[in-house]
Amino acid sequence: MKTSVLELVREYGPFPEVECVHGVTYDGRAVWFATGDRINALDPESGQIQRALSVTAYAGTAFDGRHLFQLAAGRIQKIDPKSGRVVTTVPAPTQDDNAGLAWGEGSLWVGQHEGRKIHQIDPESGAILRTIESNRHVTGVTWAGDELWHGTWEDNDESELRRVDPRSGQVLERHLMPPGTAVSGLEAGGDVFFCGGGRSGKVRVVRRPRKGM
């Protein structure tokens, strides 16, 4: 399998009072990123934070076209992005090892960091519908069209993005992040990926690889 180094397109941040970027999602206009006690809406054109929602916001963030979903320890919060109100919560797969979060195929997909897994779960009940295994620490998770991607982050701060078969977990593509960068949250947006930069306090944009690369 060929590997390539991803092209860094843009960096946002670091931002005032942001110590760590966790989950990242995109609603078609704003890039939302979690920073512990709030979810921030970033204008990708200006690079400015437009507004913030005061909710517990560690680990992954997702958007289903109407609501935001945010991991918070052992639960997943469903949030109205207009008011910031938590509409409901469902159990997360684990109490403290949940990482990335994505919406796809009518389900939520939750990365398990140390457990090296991705769980497909029912957004209404939190029931686990399917689990696929990885041989790397899983961070951000995203669907890019009909493709399932996830980030990795190993102990030596090496990160890559991987496209995997959503049924078997087989790695179909792997691409290295630029040197010195790592991936916490991950979200596809057109021809790019938005990547949370962990304790760098940054959100980075990398070019989505063309098929066959």
Side-chain angles (χ1 to χ4, degrees):
M1 181 186 306
K2 291 184 178 180
T3 61
S4 64
V5 178
L6 293 160
E7 176 191 354
L8 181 63
V9 177
R10 187 170 180 179
E11 289 186 326
Y12 303 103
F15 303 94
E17 300 181 1
V18 171
E19 295 182 359
C20 188
V21 175
H22 303 289
V24 178
T25 195
Y26 180 56
D27 67 7
R29 292 173 296 180
V31 178
W32 295 84
F33 63 99
T35 56
D37 59 357
R38 63 188 185 273
I39 311 174
N40 308 273
L42 172 73
D43 177 1
E45 294 298 322
S46 69
Q48 300 298 310
I49 294 177
Q50 300 172 313
R51 54 192 291 254
L53 307 179
S54 295
V55 294
T56 303
Y58 293 99
T61 313
F63 181 68
D64 70 351
R66 183 179 176 189
H67 292 95
L68 293 166
F69 292 84
Q70 178 62 53
L71 278 163
R75 67 189 191 279
I76 300 171
Q77 305 166 112
K78 183 178 181 179
I79 302 163
D80 179 349
K82 294 180 180 179
S83 67
R85 183 174 68 92
V86 176
V87 177
T88 189
T89 63
V90 297
T94 71
Q95 185 62 35
D96 58 7
D97 192 30
N98 306 299
L101 185 65
W103 177 269
E105 297 190 335
S107 299
L108 288 167
W109 299 72
V110 183
Q112 188 177 342
H113 181 70
E114 295 291 339
R116 304 186 180 198
K117 296 179 176 68
I118 299 173
H119 303 284
Q120 178 188 7
I121 71 169
D122 184 324
E124 299 298 324
S125 67
I128 296 175
L129 306 176
R130 181 191 314 172
T131 298
I132 58 178
E133 305 279 344
S134 176
N135 62 358
R136 292 289 187 275
H137 292 127
V138 176
T139 56
V141 182
T142 190
W143 280 85
D146 60 354
E147 299 176 353
L148 178 61
W149 290 77
H150 75 85
T152 73
W153 190 343
E154 295 304 300
D155 295 335
N156 54 6
D157 277 353
E158 289 185 358
S159 274
E160 59 185 56
L161 302 187
R162 292 182 162 198
R163 181 167 73 91
V164 299
D165 186 307
R167 293 167 182 78
S168 68
Q170 177 187 355
V171 179
L172 305 174
E173 296 180 51
R174 49 187 297 261
H175 304 276
L176 303 176
M177 286 292 289
T181 65
V183 178
S184 50
L186 178 67
E187 175 73 316
D191 63 352
V192 300
F193 287 110
F194 299 101
C195 304
R199 294 198 176 279
S200 71
K202 296 181 179 182
V203 176
R204 297 185 174 98
V205 186
V206 297
R207 187 81 60 196
R208 182 177 166 186
R210 295 190 303 271
K211 286 190 176 182
M213 286 185 64

